[in-house]
Amino acid sequence: MSGSVDNSKELAELRAKYPNMFIMSADVSLADLTNYLQSKEWIGKGESVVKLSGAGEVFNMNCTMRAELTNDKSVIIKQSRPFVERYPTVAAPFERCDQEAQFYRLVSNHEDGATVAKRTPKLVGTDESSHIMVLEDLGKASDWGQIYDCESKLPLKDAEDLGAWLASLHNLKFESSVVESLQNMGMRNLTWLYVFELPLETECGVDLEKVTPGLTEVANKLRDNKEYKELVRKIGRSIMFRDNETSMTKHVPGESVLLHGDFFPASWMQTEGGAKVIDTEFCHFGAAEWDLGVPLAHLYITNNDEAASKMFDTYKKIRPSVNQELALQIAGIEIMRRLIGLAQLPLKEGAVSLERKIELLKKSETLVLKPAECL
C-alpha cells in the first residue's frame, strides 16, 4: 500500500512486463488472492481472504498488506517491486523481499538463534517468482514511529530489549558460504547512494526550503566542509563495500556479522508480547556498528537521549568489542542524511525548528569528526 502515492503507472508497466507475476494492489480480487495463497499452501483449502488492508503506511519501502481470513486469523503479505513504494520514481532492487526472507530463515534455523527469532515474525512462505513473502501477523501492534512527534518516549525497557536483541543477532556465527550467499549488493548500493552520497550534494532530490525555511543555507554550509564530506564517504565505502584501503576507522573489514540493515523506530513493533523487530530487507553481512549507530541517531533526533544511552550501554555489555567511535560516527551520518537528504522523517510539524536542526547538524559534525569527545 502506498497511501496517497499514485503508483498506477508503475504497476501497469509491471503487469505488462511480467504477465505471469502475481501483483498485490489495493484493488486485487479477494477471490484471486485466496486462490493464489491456497495454491502456495500458505492457507488451507477451507480458508479464504475476507478483507485486505494496508500495513505500515508511513515507511513503505514495499507493498505490505494484512489479509484477514475467514477463521479470524490473518497474515501479512509483502511484495517488493523494482521501485520504492513510497517513491515510485526511485528504483530499488526487485528481489529485496527474497533477501528479507533469507534473514528470517537464517535466524530461525540457527542453533543459537532462538533469542533473536522470538522477536521476529515467523516466515510462512515465499514466492521468489513474484517477490512475495508471507509472514505471521504480530496481532495488535504498532511501530515506534510515534516518537517522531519528538515528545513520545521510547520506554527504557524496550530500549534495553532492542539493544540486547541487536547484540544477540550480531553474536550469531555463520559459515563463510552463508556469508557469501547474502551480499544484498543492490540494497547496499541504495544505502550508499541515499546515505553517504546524495545528501551531501546540492541537488539531493528534496527542496529543503519546503521542509524548513532556511535549512538549505545550513545544509550547504555542512556540504562545504571538505573534511566532513570526505570522511563521511570514506566511512561509507569502508562499511558498505569493505574498502580497507580508504577506511579511516578502526573497524576491521573482515569482521562481518549478520545485520538487520535498517534498524530504526519504524522497524520496532510494540506488541502484547513485548518489542518485536520487522523489515529486514536491507540485511547483509557487514559492520556491526552500522546497525548500532543508525538507531542512536533517531533517538537523538527525537529527544530520546536516555533511551539511546540505555540501548548503547546494553549492547556494549553484551558485545564489548564493538567500535564505539565508529558507531557514533554512523549516528552522526544518519542524523545528517535524515535532516538534509531525500529520506525525510515524518517529524511532527513544528516539533523540530530550524534552530534545533542547526543544533543537530552541529552534533552530526562532532560525532563524525570527533567521536571520542562524545563517549
Side-chain angles (χ1 to χ4, degrees):
M1 299 288 281
S2 54
S4 61
V5 176
D6 181 9
N7 60 8
S8 55
K9 174 178 177 289
E10 288 76 16
L11 289 182
E13 292 173 352
L14 200 60
R15 290 188 178 97
K17 188 172 184 178
Y18 302 98
N20 297 321
M21 177 181 172
F22 191 90
I23 297 178
M24 294 294 299
S25 66
D27 57 359
V28 68
S29 161
L30 297 186
D32 288 347
L33 179 57
T34 294
N35 291 335
Y36 172 72
L37 295 175
Q38 288 179 346
S39 72
K40 300 298 180 183
E41 299 183 348
W42 294 337
I43 64 174
K45 290 298 182 183
E47 297 176 317
S48 61
V49 179
V50 296
K51 183 179 179 181
L52 192 64
S53 57
E57 289 292 308
V58 178
F59 296 92
N60 33 359
M61 180 80 185
N62 308 289
C63 174
T64 308
M65 296 186 177
R66 174 176 286 104
E68 297 179 31
L69 309 177
T70 48
N71 54 5
D72 292 329
K73 293 195 306 184
S74 58
V75 293
I76 299 298
I77 305 173
K78 190 170 182 178
Q79 182 174 43
S80 52
R81 344 267 211 179
F83 53 84
V84 176
E85 204 71 14
R86 188 181 180 194
Y87 303 106
T89 59
V90 176
F94 208 167
E95 70 285 354
R96 56 191 181 275
C97 270
D98 310 331
Q99 303 293 321
E100 180 171 355
Q102 189 172 356
F103 176 95
Y104 295 130
R105 290 193 193 96
L106 288 175
V107 167
S108 62
N109 293 332
H110 198 288
E111 60 181 2
D112 298 319
T115 300
V116 177
K118 76 176 184 179
R119 292 197 184 275
T120 61
K122 294 178 182 176
L123 179 65
V124 176
T126 59
D127 175 8
E128 293 189 3
S129 66
S130 294
H131 303 296
I132 284 177
M133 170 178 62
V134 175
L135 299 165
E136 76 164 317
D137 190 348
L138 295 177
K140 187 178 180 180
S142 60
D143 66 47
W144 271 107
Q146 69 191 60
I147 69 171
Y148 294 118
D149 64 9
C150 299
E151 296 174 357
S152 299
K153 299 300 179 185
L154 178 70
L156 296 185
K157 178 64 167 61
D158 280 18
E160 181 177 20
D161 288 345
L162 290 165
W165 180 88
L166 192 65
S168 297
L169 169 66
H170 294 167
N171 273 339
L172 297 180
K173 306 298 182 185
F174 295 90
E175 296 291 334
S176 59
S177 59
V178 175
V179 175
E180 292 169 5
S181 72
L182 186 57
Q183 294 295 313
N184 209 356
M185 286 305 303
M187 296 300 273
R188 285 158 67 181
N189 285 327
L190 198 68
T191 298
W192 162 259
L193 183 62
Y194 287 97
V195 176
F196 302 97
E197 185 72 20
L198 286 181
L200 291 172
E201 296 298 324
T202 305
E203 298 297 326
C204 66
V206 60
D207 185 348
L208 295 179
E209 290 306 293
K210 290 183 178 180
V211 177
T212 304
L215 185 56
T216 301
E217 182 180 352
V218 177
N220 287 339
K221 183 177 180 181
L222 183 61
R223 290 164 177 154
D224 288 339
N225 184 330
K226 185 177 180 181
E227 182 185 8
Y228 176 89
K229 191 171 183 176
E230 288 183 352
L231 184 52
V232 165
R233 292 191 171 154
K234 286 180 179 179
I235 291 171
R237 285 192 291 270
S238 174
I239 66 169
M240 283 297 134
F241 307 120
R242 326 306 285 153
D243 188 343
N244 200 15
E245 292 183 4
T246 62
S247 174
M248 289 183 66
T249 70
K250 298 176 183 177
H251 178 69
V252 181
E255 295 177 349
S256 292
V257 300
L258 179 58
L259 303 180
H260 176 284
D262 196 25
F263 195 63
F264 79 124
S267 300
W268 310 337
M269 301 299 292
Q270 311 170 58
T271 76
E272 294 177 350
K276 303 283 186 177
V277 180
I278 61 171
D279 292 346
T280 62
E281 64 262 29
F282 281 87
C283 65
H284 63 278
F285 284 89
E289 293 80 6
W290 170 251
D291 264 357
L292 181 57
V294 166
L296 297 181
H298 290 258
L299 294 173
Y300 293 148
I301 291 171
T302 58
N303 301 309
N304 272 273
D305 293 52
E306 191 175 0
S309 295
K310 174 62 74 173
M311 183 181 290
F312 201 11
D313 290 344
T314 300
Y315 185 98
K316 290 185 293 183
K317 286 178 183 177
I318 299 173
R319 297 193 80 246
S321 63
V322 68
N323 183 338
Q324 297 179 41
E325 291 186 23
L326 177 56
L328 291 179
Q329 288 177 307
I330 295 300
I333 294 169
E334 178 72 2
I335 289 172
M336 174 274 296
R337 78 101 170 194
R338 289 297 189 170
L339 294 182
I340 66 173
L342 177 65
Q344 292 284 309
L345 296 172
L347 299 169
K348 181 180 177 181
E349 187 174 355
V352 185
S353 64
L354 176 62
E355 290 71 26
R356 172 61 174 159
K357 290 187 177 182
I358 291 172
E359 178 186 326
L360 285 166
L361 289 172
K362 286 180 178 177
K363 183 180 182 74
S364 167
E365 204 168 11
T366 301
L367 285 169
V368 171
L369 297 176
K370 301 176 181 178
E373 293 182 5
C374 303
L375 290 173

